[in-house]
Amino acid sequence: MANIIAVTGCPTGIAHTIMATEALKKTALVMGHEIKIETQGAEGVQNPLTDADIAAADTVIISSDIFVNVKRFAGKPMVAVSTSAAIGKTQSIIEEALAEMEKTSPNTEEQTAPVQTLPPVVKRLVGVTSCPTGIAHTFMAAEALRKAAKTLGYEIKVETQGSVGAKNILTCEEIEDADAVIIAADAHVDTRRFAGKRVYETSTKEALHNAVTLIQAALAQSSPRKIDYKGKIKQFKKEHSTTRTGPYKHLMTGVSYMLPMVIAGGILIALAFAFGGIYAGDAKGSLGWALMQIGGATAFTLYVPVLAGFIAYSIADRPGITPGLVGGMLAMTVGSGFLGGILAGFIAGYLTRFLNNKINLPDNLQGLKPVLILPVLSTLVVGLLMIYIVGPPVKIALNSLETWLIGLQQGSALILGLILGAMMAFDMGGPVNKAAYTFSVGLLASKIYMPMAAVMAAGMVPPLGLALAATLFKSRFTIDEREAGKAAYVLGISFITEGAIPYAARDPFRVIPCIMVGSAVTGALSMVFDVNLLVPHGGVFVLFIPNAVTHLLNYIFAIAAGTLISAGLLFIVKKPLAKADGPLADDRSEQVPV
C-alpha cells in the first residue's frame, strides 16, 4: 500500500477540481492506497497538505490546469497531468505515479555514483525549462537540474518559461560565463542569445529522469556547436503551432477574458432593473441609472474590444493586443458588433504575427518592433479594414441576424432552441457547448436575450437529469454514481454542465443521447415561451433578481421538463446493475449490467 498525496486545481476551482479530486480518492481507495488531496482554485487552497503529509508521502500527483508551486515536493517522485486526464484516466495516472516511485531508488544510485570521478573544477551552467502548459513540468525539470548540479558540485541557474511568464531570467553576463547551456523544453525556446555556447537540447521528461547524465553530456561537447538557429526556430514554431494554436484555441482565449466582463455587466444591468425598473437608465442620477452606466454603458461596451484584443493576443502575443482592442472598439463603433469583434481579433492577430516574422531589424533596433513598429502598422491596417472593408458587410449580416431572431415565429424558434439545447449537452463544456454559449453571449450587446435563456436552461439539464435519475432509479447506477448525484444537483443549478461528465465517461452511448434530448426540449420550450435572460451565468441564483428573466414560471417549467425527460430516458435505456455477492446498496463492490 502506497501513501499518495495530490494537488488538484482549475481556474474556477469548482467543476474539474472537484471531479479530479473525487476520481483520485475513489480510485486510490479501490486500488488499496492511501491518498490526501489539496485543492486549489478561485477560492484559494482547501485541505492544504502539511509538512508531515509531504514527508510521509511515497509519490505525488499534480492534477492541475493552473500554476502549482512544486518546490515543496522536491525529492519526491512526481507525475503532472491535467484535470481532464485525472478524471478520464484515473487508474493509469495512479499507476504512473507508483511507477515513478519505484524508479526513485535506482535513479538516485545512478545519479550519485559518478560523483567520485568528477573533476574538482567547478563548472558553471545555465538552463531554460519550458513545457506547453507552463505549469508543473517546467518547474519540476528546473528543480531536477538544480539538484543534479549540486550533486555534481557545479553551479547552475535555470530560467523557467511558464504560465506566469519568464522567471529567474538569465543575464548576458551569466550566459557569457557559462560552460554549457541546457534547454529542457517541450515548447519553443528562442536559442539565439546562446550563440557560440555549447547548447544541449532535450525534453523536460528527460531532465526529470536523467538530469546528471544531461549535464555531463552538455559539458562533454568538445567545442561550441554550429547550430542552424534560424532553422531550429522555424521547426519549433511549426511543431508548437500544431499543438497549441488554431482558431478555436484563439477564440476560446478571447472568450475566457471576455466572460468576467459580460457576467459582471449582465448582473449589474439586472440589478439596475431591480432597483429602478425597466426604464432605470432614463432616471439620471438614481442608483438604477448608475448601475446601468456601469453594466450597460461601460462593461457591455468594452466586452467586444476585450474579446478581439485577447484573440489577437493568443495569436501574436502582446504585440497583438493593441490592434485587437482598437479593431474590437471599431467593430462596436461601425455597428458590426461581436461578429465584427471576432473578425477584428483574428485579422489583428494574424497580421501582427506576419509583420513580426517578416520585419527584420538590426539587433540594436529590435526593441522598436513590439512598442512602435508593430502596434502602429497593425493598428493602422486593422482600423482601415474595419472601417472600409470588413465593418460594413458584417454590420449588414449582424443586422439581418438580429432581425431574424427578433422576428422568430414559433416554428423557427423551436428549431433554434432544439439546436442550441442539444449543442449544450453534446460535449458538456467542450467546443460544441462553448460555440452555442459564445453565440448567445455575443447577442447580449444587441439586446437579444432569448438564446441566452435557452442556452443556460439547457446547460443546467444534463447534471440535473442524471442526478434525478440516480436518485430515483438507484438500481441503474453504481453507489459512486449515486453519491456523485449530490454534487451534480449543486453543479446543475449553478449552470456547470461539466457535472455530467463522470456519468457520460462511464456510459457515453446511453447517457449522452438522453441528456441531449432533455436539453434540446428545454432549449426549444424556452425559445417558444419567449423567455429573455439578461444575465449570462449564475444558474438558478440569478433568477431571484427581479427582471433578470422574463416569464419566470415558464422558464422553470422548461428546465423541469428537460430534467424529467432526461431522467425518464435514462431509466429506459440503462439496465439494472447486479453483483455477485449481495444487495446493491450493501457495499462498493464492482457492479455490472444484467
Side-chain angles (χ1 to χ4, degrees):
M1 181 179 72
N3 190 353
I4 304 170
I5 57 173
V7 178
T8 63
C10 67
T12 61
I14 304 174
H16 283 86
T17 300
I18 293 171
M19 289 188 286
T21 300
E22 291 302 312
L24 288 169
K25 278 183 181 177
K26 291 171 182 174
T27 306
L29 180 65
V30 171
M31 295 173 70
H33 303 298
E34 292 184 1
I35 189 167
K36 291 184 179 180
I37 303 178
E38 172 182 307
T39 62
Q40 299 186 11
E43 297 182 356
V45 177
Q46 304 293 325
N47 303 316
L49 296 169
T50 65
D51 292 341
D53 293 332
I54 297 171
D58 297 314
T59 188
V60 182
I61 298 173
I62 307 295
S63 169
S64 180
D65 304 320
I66 57 176
F67 169 74
V68 172
N69 189 340
V70 297
K71 287 185 178 179
R72 56 186 167 146
F73 305 124
K76 295 288 182 181
M78 195 179 307
V79 170
V81 297
S82 64
T83 54
S84 59
I87 295 167
K89 302 176 181 178
T90 318
Q91 183 172 338
S92 64
I93 298 302
I94 293 176
E95 289 172 348
E96 184 180 350
L98 297 174
E100 287 294 322
M101 178 183 72
E102 293 173 359
K103 291 179 185 176
T104 302
S105 297
N107 213 32
T108 303
E109 295 171 4
E110 179 187 337
Q111 295 194 9
T112 56
V115 175
Q116 298 175 354
T117 62
L118 294 175
V121 179
V122 175
K123 299 289 186 179
R124 292 183 175 86
L125 302 105
V126 293
V128 179
T129 61
S130 179
C131 65
T133 57
I135 301 172
H137 284 89
T138 297
F139 301 92
M140 290 162 59
E143 188 62 25
L145 289 172
R146 291 190 194 101
K147 285 179 62 182
K150 184 177 180 181
T151 300
L152 294 167
Y154 298 157
E155 295 179 0
I156 190 171
K157 180 177 179 180
V158 184
E159 175 180 314
T160 57
Q161 297 183 5
S163 60
V164 292
K167 298 293 182 183
N168 208 30
I169 297 173
L170 301 173
T171 66
C172 294
E173 291 77 16
E174 289 165 341
I175 296 171
E176 182 65 29
D177 293 339
D179 296 299
V181 180
I182 298 174
I183 309 294
D186 306 316
H188 168 61
V189 172
D190 191 338
T191 58
R192 287 176 293 184
R193 57 183 165 153
F194 305 123
K197 308 300 292 185
R198 288 185 286 193
V199 178
Y200 191 92
E201 297 183 40
T202 185
S203 65
T204 56
K205 184 176 181 181
E206 194 67 20
L208 283 169
H209 296 304
N210 301 299
V212 167
T213 304
L214 295 184
I215 291 174
Q216 292 173 331
L219 290 169
Q221 297 173 117
S222 58
S223 60
R225 293 185 299 165
K226 296 288 185 181
I227 299 177
D228 178 14
Y229 287 119
K230 189 173 180 181
K232 272 290 188 193
I233 291 166
K234 286 184 178 178
Q235 179 185 349
F236 271 115
K237 283 184 176 179
K238 183 177 180 181
E239 293 173 356
H240 192 47
S241 66
T242 61
T243 57
R244 293 197 65 201
T245 62
Y248 175 75
K249 179 251 184 184
H250 303 318
L251 177 62
M252 287 301 104
T253 298
V255 169
S256 68
Y257 282 98
M258 171 196 76
L259 271 182
M261 187 166 291
V262 177
I263 293 169
I267 291 176
L268 289 171
I269 291 172
L271 289 173
F273 291 148
F275 285 105
I278 200 67
Y279 300 109
D282 297 336
K284 191 172 182 178
S286 66
L287 177 59
W289 173 84
L291 292 171
M292 187 63 74
Q293 290 299 306
I294 299 168
T298 306
F300 263 44
T301 300
L302 286 174
Y303 90 72
V304 172
V306 169
L307 171 65
F310 283 97
I311 289 174
Y313 166 74
S314 178
I315 298 168
D317 215 328
R318 277 185 283 185
I321 292 180
T322 296
L325 288 170
V326 173
M329 198 68 201
L330 284 170
M332 294 296 289
T333 302
V334 302
S336 57
F338 82 99
L339 292 178
I342 291 171
L343 288 174
F346 281 107
I347 293 170
Y350 286 118
L351 173 66
T352 304
R353 193 169 73 179
F354 172 80
L355 293 174
N356 193 23
N357 292 335
K358 294 299 180 182
I359 297 174
N360 295 314
L361 297 174
D363 290 342
N364 60 340
L365 296 178
Q366 283 290 335
L368 294 176
K369 279 176 68 174
V371 298
L372 176 63
I373 296 173
L374 293 178
V376 172
L377 285 179
S378 54
T379 300
L380 173 63
V381 175
V382 170
L384 292 173
L385 287 173
M386 291 304 298
I387 291 171
Y388 292 113
I389 298 175
V390 177
V394 174
K395 178 183 179 181
I396 294 171
L398 183 64
N399 289 342
S400 300
L401 176 63
E402 291 173 359
T403 302
W404 177 70
L405 289 170
I406 292 170
L408 278 177
Q409 302 299 313
Q410 280 203 345
S412 51
L414 178 73
I415 294 170
L416 180 61
L418 285 169
I419 294 171
L420 291 175
M423 289 174 70
M424 289 301 294
F426 176 71
D427 53 1
M428 296 153 286
V432 177
N433 171 289
K434 289 294 191 295
Y437 183 71
T438 303
F439 168 77
S440 304
V441 169
L443 292 170
L444 293 178
S446 301
K447 298 184 179 181
I448 296 174
Y449 305 116
M450 284 193 300
M452 190 71 256
V455 159
M456 190 162 89
M460 294 161 65
V461 165
L464 289 176
L466 283 158
L468 181 62
T471 301
L472 296 179
F473 315 123
K474 292 182 172 61
S475 65
R476 284 160 167 76
F477 295 88
T478 65
I479 291 179
D480 285 346
E481 288 176 325
R482 279 142 49 188
E483 287 187 356
K486 300 170 185 175
Y489 279 120
V490 177
L491 294 172
I493 64 174
S494 303
F495 182 37
I496 300 174
T497 315
E498 289 90 341
I501 290 176
Y503 299 91
R506 187 186 292 267
D507 192 6
F509 296 108
R510 291 186 177 93
V511 169
I512 293 176
C514 294
I515 60 178
M516 283 181 68
V517 172
S519 291
V521 169
T522 293
L525 288 174
S526 177
M527 292 291 290
V528 170
F529 291 152
D530 193 27
V531 178
N532 287 261
L533 179 67
L534 279 66
V535 184
H537 213 292
V540 298
F541 303 104
V542 299
L543 304 185
F544 298 103
I545 301 174
N547 302 309
V549 61
T550 63
H551 307 298
L552 178 58
L553 292 178
N554 287 344
Y555 196 50
I556 295 172
F557 173 77
I559 296 170
T563 300
L564 290 170
I565 289 171
S566 288
L569 289 173
L570 288 164
F571 172 77
I572 295 170
V573 303
K574 285 180 72 70
K575 303 301 180 185
L577 303 175
K579 62 183 181 62
D581 55 351
L584 283 170
D586 287 348
D587 58 46
R588 295 176 181 272
S589 58
E590 185 65 24
Q591 300 163 351
V592 295
V594 173

